[in-house]
Amino acid sequence: MNYTSADGLGFGAGRTEIDPAILMELPEGCKVTSTENHGVSFWAQTGRIDVLLCDGTSQSFFIKVLSKELGLNMTNSEFQSMSAMHSILPEFVPRPIACGSYRTIPDTHFFLCEFREMSDDLPDPYNFAALLSKLHQKSISPTGKFGFHITTYAGNLPQYVVWEDSWEVFFTKSMKQALDLEVQKKGPSEELDVLSCVLFEKVIPRLLRPLESDGRKVKPSLVHGDLWYANSGIDANTDQPLVFDACCFFAHNEYEFGQWRPACNRFGDDYIAAYNTFAQISAPEEDFIGRLDLYRLRFDTHVSALFVDNETLRTQVIDVMRDLVQRYG
């Protein structure tokens, strides 16, 4: 589904011609001075556009291009997600500019935002946690519920985002959708079926129902949705943390950390500890680690569905689910 460039409209190789739909979103009267491939994506063509403004200053933009109806949905998902985050905490994300469709190449779609020069270093845990906790705390669900106003995509697969009053209900449906996608992509598993029954009947109620019992409530917080270390960086000019590639929805703020539990993610326990200096752990606190492992399972399952040929990911899903069932089932 990746974008294939037409003659004269690719990035790099001295090309400066860009599609009129993109040009319309750039500053009026600017002149494109260069384009180049920039960044890495499993799902899209990504590039950088450099322009000269009318006042003689230069400015750069980042562009992501995808094709077909799925590409249209994914570019809109990223634009809406980044816009939601930028409206709350503009210093934490590059400014989204537009999403749209090419005029000159059929069924080809783009996401455009400001270009921020970034280093690949991991952000300082406390600086990062301060911004992330601020995003979670300042955000307000427009409905007072969990969900999002459009379907968002982690990778090229949709997430469950239908508005729900209860976090337990929302997470249960999100987890079921992720499992359905995983089984659809990788085929049935008898062990997965057995474990899943216990997961939904015992484990999820055991870990999530107390959050909304005995007068407790869960605040719907805007989460990035796919916050692993490769979707972060440090602004080369300000030295401040930045995040990108968002697939947002309103969730329990601790959901964000499920992505941090696997050893392959370099946001380790020091980042969670830093975050907990800015935000209180939800009660009951003794279930905190169990909840994070449950949220990890949702991420692991979605990732297993994304990478069909990697059987290790299926094994990882079963291992984490088995561990949760043994502890809480």
Side-chain angles (χ1 to χ4, degrees):
M1 64 161 291
N2 283 358
Y3 161 78
T4 302
S5 64
D7 289 342
L9 289 173
F11 306 133
R15 297 187 178 103
T16 58
E17 183 182 356
I18 60 172
D19 187 89
I22 300 169
L23 190 60
M24 279 189 62
E25 303 295 346
L26 299 178
E28 186 176 356
C30 72
K31 178 184 178 182
V32 177
T33 56
S34 69
T35 66
E36 61 184 67
N37 292 312
H38 183 86
V40 177
S41 172
F42 287 110
W43 326 111
Q45 173 96 359
T46 55
R48 169 176 169 163
I49 301 171
D50 296 324
V51 307
L52 193 65
L53 303 179
C54 293
D55 63 3
T57 59
S58 59
Q59 193 171 349
S60 299
F61 301 87
F62 175 81
I63 186 167
K64 183 179 288 188
V65 184
L66 301 100
S67 60
K68 304 180 181 177
E69 182 178 2
L70 181 56
L72 175 65
N73 295 336
M74 289 172 65
T75 51
N76 189 36
S77 161
E78 184 161 359
F79 177 72
Q80 296 293 335
S81 295
M82 296 289 282
S83 295
M85 292 184 67
H86 190 268
S87 69
I88 298 163
L89 208 61
E91 63 268 35
F92 200 31
V93 295
R95 178 174 62 89
I97 295 169
C99 62
S101 299
Y102 272 54
R103 293 184 187 175
T104 53
I105 308 176
D107 219 7
T108 301
H109 317 284
F110 67 90
F111 163 73
L112 185 72
C113 71
E114 68 174 343
F115 181 87
R116 303 280 287 273
E117 192 71 56
M118 283 184 274
S119 74
D120 293 332
D121 296 333
L122 283 178
D124 174 78
Y126 282 90
N127 290 343
F128 187 76
L131 289 168
L132 183 61
S133 64
K134 192 174 180 180
L135 172 74
H136 292 162
Q137 291 164 16
K138 286 185 65 177
S139 56
I140 299 174
S141 168
T143 64
K145 301 180 181 183
F146 303 95
F148 205 60
H149 63 282
I150 66 159
T151 299
T152 53
Y153 286 72
N156 63 358
L157 293 176
Q159 305 185 112
Y160 183 83
V161 295
V162 177
W163 295 112
E164 301 285 356
D165 291 303
S166 161
W167 171 241
E168 181 189 343
V169 171
F170 180 91
F171 181 84
T172 299
K173 292 182 178 180
S174 174
M175 188 70 231
K176 282 182 177 177
Q177 177 170 303
L179 273 169
D180 287 346
L181 286 169
E182 205 274 351
V183 171
Q184 177 186 322
K185 297 287 186 179
K186 284 192 167 157
S189 160
E190 185 176 345
E191 184 175 12
L192 198 58
D193 287 344
V194 173
L195 290 170
S196 296
C197 288
V198 185
L199 177 78
F200 290 111
E201 292 176 8
K202 300 287 186 181
V203 177
I204 292 177
R206 163 63 185 85
L207 286 171
L208 299 190
R209 195 162 298 170
L211 290 168
E212 300 173 303
S213 302
D214 300 325
R216 302 186 189 105
K217 293 184 178 179
V218 177
K219 172 191 179 293
S221 297
L222 187 72
V223 294
H224 176 285
D226 190 20
L227 197 51
W228 66 309
Y229 73 92
N231 285 344
S232 74
I234 300 175
D235 189 298
N237 295 316
T238 67
D239 287 330
Q240 291 302 303
L242 287 172
V243 297
F244 46 90
D245 272 358
C247 49
C248 292
F249 54 91
F250 287 87
H252 182 206
N253 65 308
E254 293 173 0
Y255 173 84
E256 200 91 90
F257 313 137
Q259 181 74 297
W260 300 4
R261 296 295 285 167
C264 63
N265 194 334
R266 294 160 63 192
F267 288 153
D269 291 342
D270 51 341
Y271 283 82
I272 294 176
Y275 182 95
N276 289 336
T277 66
F278 296 100
Q280 188 172 355
I281 296 173
S282 297
E285 293 187 15
E286 59 268 22
D287 290 343
F288 178 63
I289 297 301
R291 291 194 298 264
L292 298 197
D293 289 337
L294 178 61
Y295 298 158
R296 170 196 174 161
L297 178 63
R298 158 60 180 77
F299 283 102
D300 286 350
T301 305
H302 191 96
V303 170
S304 181
L306 281 173
F307 298 100
V308 180
D309 296 330
N310 189 331
E311 284 300 325
T312 301
L313 296 173
R314 160 69 67 89
T315 302
Q316 181 172 274
V317 168
I318 291 175
D319 288 345
V320 174
M321 194 180 297
R322 187 189 299 120
D323 176 61
L324 283 164
V325 165
Q326 288 173 348
R327 288 156 64 192
Y328 300 104

